[in-house]
Amino acid sequence: MLKERIPLGIICAMPEEIAALLGDMSAIKRQELAGREVLTGQLFGRPVAMIESGIGKVAAAMTATLLLDGLKCRAIVMSGVAGGIDPALAIGDLVVAQRLVQHDYGRLQADGVTPFRPGVPPFGPGRADFGYELPDDLVARIHAALDGFKLPSLPADLVGKDVRPPMIKIGTIVSGDQFINDEGARARLQSVFGAHAVEMEGAAVAQVAEAFGVPAIVIRSLSDLAGADSHLDFGKFVAAVAPTAAKVVERLVSVLD
Ligand code: SAH
C-alpha cells in the first residue's frame, strides 16, 4: 500500500518542534540536502522524511519542494507553534488549518493590504479565493479523527491550576514573513482574514503542495497570542506547547493514508 512504501513529508520550522517528534521516530537515517539535514525513518507506523525548514515562507517553500520533488513524498504535515488570533483561544490550544492564507501577499495601500492569491497580479478589486483550502473529504476525516480527542493540560507551574484543558480548533491559519507582536496587527488579521492563528510558514507549504497536487496539513499549538507580549510568551511556552502539536500529528497521520 501507498502508506507503507512512500514517505510522508514532515516539516518543522524550529528545533523545539522537531524535538517534540524525534522521540517517537525510529530507524533514523540522516542525509544532507541543500544545507539542511533530512531525517528519514519510521514515525507513527509510517515511513517519513522530516526536515527542519528554518523560519519564514521561503525556507518553508524550499523545504516542501525538497520533500515533494527530491524525496517524492506523498503528502506533507507541518507541525509547530503559532500565535493565537481568535480571542476564544488561549496559549496551549491548537489549530489545524482547514484554510491557509499568505497574509503579506497582496496590494499595500494607505488603508491596508488587499489580499490576493499568491501569483495573481495584485491589481483590481481582489477576489475571495486568496486562500488554500483543504478538500472537503479531508476536512471531514480530520473532524472525525479529532472528535472526542483530549489534549493533555500544560504544566500547572506554567499556566496555573485553574485553566481549562487545551482546545482544538479546525480553522484558518495565516502565514507571513513577520513575527506578530502587536495588538493592532492581531486585530487586523482577525477582521480581514477571519484568522484563528498566525505563523510564518504554513501557507507557503500549502502553495507548494498545491503545485505538486498533494495535500498539506498544518498543525499548530499556540505559543503566544500575537499581541504586545507575544515575544515574551513565545520564549516561555514554545518548548511546553510544541509536544501538543506532535500529539495531534500522531492522531492525524491516518487521514493521509
Ligand atoms: N525567537 C525565535 C524566533 C521565533 S519566530 C528564535 O530566536 O528562534 C516564530 C516562529 O514560531 C515561526 O516559525 C512562526 O511560524 C511561529 N510563531 C509563533 N508565534 C508567532 C507569532 N506571534 N507571529 C508569527 N509567527 C509565530
Side-chain angles (χ1 to χ4, degrees), residues 32 67 90 197-198 210 230 249:
E32 206 183 288
L67 288 172
V198 59
E210 184 186 78
S230 64
V249 174

Side-chain angles (χ1 to χ4, degrees), residues 110-186:
D111 57 350
V113 176
T114 305
F116 282 79
R117 192 174 181 79
V120 171
F123 298 106
R127 300 199 322 237
D129 63 345
F130 49 76
Y132 297 91
E133 316 238 358
L134 289 186
D136 291 346
D137 59 326
L138 186 53
V139 174
R141 290 206 295 280
I142 291 172
H143 274 281
L146 293 177
D147 188 32
F149 183 60
K150 301 244 178 313
L151 290 169
S153 294
L154 293 182
D157 58 339
L158 263 185
V159 290
K161 277 201 297 293
D162 298 328
V163 294
R164 61 163 171 73
M167 135 183 155
I168 300 179
K169 177 81 200 168
I170 299 167
T172 295
I173 295 181
V174 296
S175 313
D177 285 319
Q178 299 138 4
F179 181 81
I180 304 300
N181 193 185
D182 174 68
E183 294 300 337
R186 176 192 173 177

Side-chain angles (χ1 to χ4, degrees), residues 13-17 54-56 78 80-85 103 174 176 178-181 198-202 220-227 230-231 234-235 238:
M14 291 182 302
E16 294 89 340
E17 299 162 340
I55 296 167
M78 173 141 214
V81 302
I85 298 287
H103 70 75
V174 296
Q178 299 138 4
F179 181 81
I180 304 300
N181 193 185
V198 59
E199 37 85 309
M200 301 175 69
E201 298 87 14
R220 296 281 189 171
S221 50
L222 302 185
S223 53
D224 58 84
L225 298 177
S230 64
H231 60 308
F234 177 88
V238 59

